[in-house]
Amino acid sequence: MDTDVLIVGAGPTGLMLGNQLARRGVRAQIIDRHPGPARETRALGVQARTLEIYAHLGIVERALDMGRRASGANLWAQGKWMANVPLDVAGDGVTPYPYILVLGQDDNERIMGDRLRELGMSVQWNTELTELRQRADRVDATLRQSDGTRCTITAAWVAGCDGAHSAVRTACGVAFQGAPYEHVFFVADTVATGGMVPDQVNVYLWRDGFHLFFPMRGQDHWRVVGIVPETLRDRADVDFDAVLPSLRQEAGETLAFLQCSWFSTYRIHHRAAEHFRDRRCFLLGDAAHIHSPVGAQGMNTGLQDAYNLGWKLALVVQGRADPALLDSYPAEREPVARRLLETTDRAFRVVVSDNALAGLFRTRILARTMAFAMRRKSVRRFAFRVVSQTGIHYRSGPLSQSQDAFPGDAPQAGDRFPWMKLRLDDEGARADLFAVLDDTRFNLIVVGLPAPAPDALGFGELLKIHAVAEDPANDVELARVRIPKPCFYLVRPDGHVGLCGARLDATALARYAFDRLRLTH
């Protein structure tokens, strides 16, 4: 093989997958048809779950330094402030990062690209995939290089991270079902003053659509996303001055733009690949699913695709797991993507419908209903878990198994294991559990039970055991996240629970390793 994994596309998803494979010692080659990294991008919101992954990758502090933390979101309608969603309050205790980090896709790519080079891997720019031929034991990929010449390389596996116009998806003949929205959108990088609540996302609903103001790093720096008015929709020469009247009409006469350094218009599609795996090829990110910008989910979903596939692909490449483990990637990620596509599409149609009744519903009924609902703590917590992606689970996935029935509000098999601060030995201080868990291995968390001997569990050096000490402060934390005692949780490298139960049975753990995870030794 010329490489174990060929990654096509060096956007956020491809860079995340490359990082996950490189830190596990897997040979991977990343190519991209563009001349270099993106300079201007539309994706902005980095959700809490992504920041948790960045922490394991060692890049979260740089991301936080470069971005702007939005501690909440404000809803406006008909020029009036309607509601506030305090993300820092709603996410308190759920994650170390209870906010949306406003950081452009280009900056995210820069951070992940720098980390990738530190791990000894680089991107081959100006290199385009032109043909794929799948065989029983490999994939032959024909590439057109920067000088126009062609070469063919062999790879054990191919990851299509190459966006909405994916060459991998096309070569595999996978349908990309869906359609474009009729609306035209714009994005503008501005310096502006007005009634916007500082350091928070401001959402302006109006009868013909919406405008979003994202706080960026720097004084009065706002990224504005909105809908081009219908009368301008078919014009090819729309500029920032053309959309200013609608902005001022809905965001208030006090709104003043001092500068616009970048303006672009674009259309949005809602589509999903018919399936995310075709034999030795996988689809991730925008190559697998694209949807509306509601909730700032797109880039983050692609990063979670890569985080889900990365550890599985590494185990298979290294001969530690049977290739059948890779079937769990589409089994787990396809339902997440389709559910996201359905919910964002429904929400999007509500906020962009041109129908006059829909406009009244959007600015009067919807705004007031949301304002009322957000007063309730339970609603704010639920909304945060959805938007932050900390609530994504794989409970129905093939790798999720419960030995015993836990209460309904307890973490279940398939859930993201909750964030806590615990004392893990009799003399140590309380530690951030997420900082302790090793995401290159499985982690067995034992509560109120004797820790087993590692050699009998079937994981070898792939497993790290954490025994939670008997301590009153630990009991408070465990009760807060509804973890019963006694119990154990086997946490996968991506932070989701694989196996859990009240009785720790070494034989059952070993059987899970071989039957579910398909570990070979």
Side-chain angles (χ1 to χ4, degrees):
M1 298 291 176
D2 294 304
T3 186
D4 293 319
V5 182
L6 174 64
I7 301 172
V8 183
T13 302
L15 291 172
M16 174 60 77
L17 183 60
N19 271 283
Q20 296 304 326
L21 295 176
R23 62 202 291 254
R24 290 169 169 84
V26 174
R27 289 186 310 152
Q29 185 172 335
I30 305 182
I31 65 169
D32 196 292
R33 63 185 178 86
H34 296 100
R39 294 184 178 181
E40 295 158 335
T41 53
R42 295 186 287 269
L44 288 171
V46 182
Q47 302 292 353
R49 183 60 184 137
T50 294
L51 293 173
E52 292 172 0
I53 297 170
Y54 279 6
H56 285 297
L57 196 51
I59 60 175
V60 71
E61 292 303 327
R62 188 176 176 203
L64 295 177
D65 288 343
M66 293 178 64
R68 185 78 172 262
R69 305 181 196 190
S71 59
N74 293 274
L75 183 66
W76 302 74
Q78 296 179 305
K80 297 179 181 179
W81 180 86
M82 301 296 293
N84 172 262
V85 183
L87 297 175
D88 51 352
V89 175
D92 184 41
V94 176
T95 174
Y97 313 102
Y99 42 78
I100 294 176
L101 183 70
V102 183
L103 183 69
Q105 179 178 322
D106 50 344
D107 288 327
N108 283 276
E109 291 180 11
R110 184 177 301 111
I111 294 169
M112 283 189 282
D114 289 346
R115 181 65 178 131
L116 189 69
R117 284 186 289 274
E118 292 172 0
L119 294 169
M121 191 184 300
S122 59
V123 178
Q124 293 176 238
W125 299 104
N126 282 313
T127 304
E128 183 177 4
L129 175 72
T130 60
E131 186 179 353
L132 276 180
R133 184 175 182 182
Q134 297 200 56
R135 301 180 184 273
D137 60 344
R138 69 182 190 274
V139 181
D140 297 333
T142 301
L143 311 179
R144 182 166 54 225
Q145 301 174 103
S146 57
D147 60 0
T149 60
R150 296 175 186 264
C151 69
T152 299
I153 67 169
T154 60
W157 307 94
V158 173
C161 307
D162 48 344
H165 303 287
S166 170
V168 174
R169 189 186 64 242
T170 300
C172 293
V174 176
F176 202 36
Q177 299 163 334
Y181 292 106
E182 60 181 301
H183 302 80
V184 179
F185 299 81
F186 73 84
V187 56
D189 203 350
T190 71
V191 176
T193 59
M196 299 84 72
V197 179
D199 297 320
Q200 298 198 12
V201 178
N202 289 262
V203 181
Y204 292 87
L205 296 176
W206 47 294
R207 289 198 175 189
D208 295 322
F210 67 90
H211 292 126
L212 306 176
F213 283 68
F214 292 92
M216 304 293 287
R217 188 177 179 86
Q219 182 69 29
D220 296 328
H221 185 187
W222 294 90
R223 184 73 63 85
V224 183
V225 177
I227 295 180
V228 173
E230 185 177 4
T231 55
L232 305 174
R233 190 176 293 172
D234 296 324
R235 280 179 45 182
D237 60 343
V238 175
D239 58 12
F240 186 60
D241 289 338
V243 301
L244 267 177
S246 67
L247 276 168
R248 288 205 173 97
Q249 178 182 346
E250 303 305 328
E253 292 299 325
T254 61
L255 181 64
F257 288 97
L258 309 179
Q259 179 184 343
C260 177
S261 58
W262 175 55
F263 178 83
S264 178
T265 60
Y266 58 99
R267 290 185 179 271
I268 292 175
H269 293 236
H270 54 106
R271 299 181 185 275
E274 187 175 13
H275 42 264
F276 290 7
R277 180 184 181 185
D278 177 56
R279 294 165 288 172
R280 289 185 166 268
C281 295
F282 301 89
L283 300 174
L284 301 83
D286 285 357
H289 45 79
I290 52 175
H291 41 78
S292 85
V294 170
Q297 301 293 292
M299 178 177 68
N300 296 274
T301 304
L303 294 176
Q304 286 214 52
D305 289 344
Y307 202 51
N308 181 288
L309 179 62
W311 66 271
K312 301 171 183 177
L313 205 49
L315 288 177
V316 171
V317 167
Q318 293 163 349
R320 297 181 173 189
D322 187 273
L325 172 63
L326 300 175
D327 291 335
S328 66
Y329 168 70
E332 291 180 340
R333 294 305 296 171
E334 284 181 14
V336 170
R338 298 190 193 287
R339 188 162 53 245
L340 178 64
L341 195 67
E342 291 169 3
T343 54
T344 58
D345 183 55
R346 284 199 299 267
F348 190 67
R349 292 187 184 280
V350 169
V351 299
V352 303
S353 174
D354 292 333
N355 182 281
L357 289 177
L360 289 172
F361 172 79
R362 181 164 54 245
T363 56
R364 296 188 178 182
I365 300 173
L366 176 64
R368 286 182 170 83
T369 301
M370 291 182 65
F372 176 78
M374 287 303 166
R375 296 174 190 168
R376 301 186 61 180
K377 180 180 178 180
S378 59
V379 174
R380 293 198 304 266
R381 299 280 281 188
F382 174 78
F384 178 82
R385 288 182 181 273
V386 171
V387 174
S388 68
Q389 299 197 345
T390 57
I392 287 175
H393 66 80
Y394 308 127
R395 291 186 180 182
S396 300
L399 304 186
S400 301
Q401 179 182 343
S402 298
Q403 277 192 195
D404 304 283
F406 282 165
D409 58 354
Q412 307 290 326
D415 290 357
R416 159 190 166 273
F417 193 75
W419 176 60
M420 291 178 284
K421 291 185 177 180
L422 296 173
R423 192 157 63 85
L424 296 175
D425 58 60
D426 293 333
E427 298 180 0
R430 293 178 73 205
D432 182 330
L433 187 63
F434 280 11
V436 173
L437 299 182
D438 183 350
D439 76 333
T440 64
R441 293 193 277 178
F442 293 86
N443 293 269
L444 179 63
I445 299 170
V446 181
V447 181
L449 295 168
D455 295 343
L457 302 181
F459 289 84
E461 76 280 7
L462 290 174
L463 182 68
K464 189 174 181 180
I465 299 176
H466 311 270
V468 178
E470 290 291 337
D471 179 80
N474 281 354
D475 290 340
V476 171
E477 273 289 84
L478 293 168
R480 180 181 67 81
V481 298
R482 306 294 193 268
I483 288 182
K485 289 181 63 177
C487 71
F488 75 90
Y489 283 89
L490 178 68
V491 181
R492 307 168 357 172
D494 59 5
H496 287 264
V497 177
L499 176 68
C500 60
R503 297 165 289 104
L504 187 57
D505 182 347
T507 302
L509 274 167
R511 188 164 53 246
Y512 176 84
F514 291 110
D515 292 349
R516 296 272 182 153
L517 297 172
R518 308 300 295 267
L519 299 186
T520 55
H521 62 276

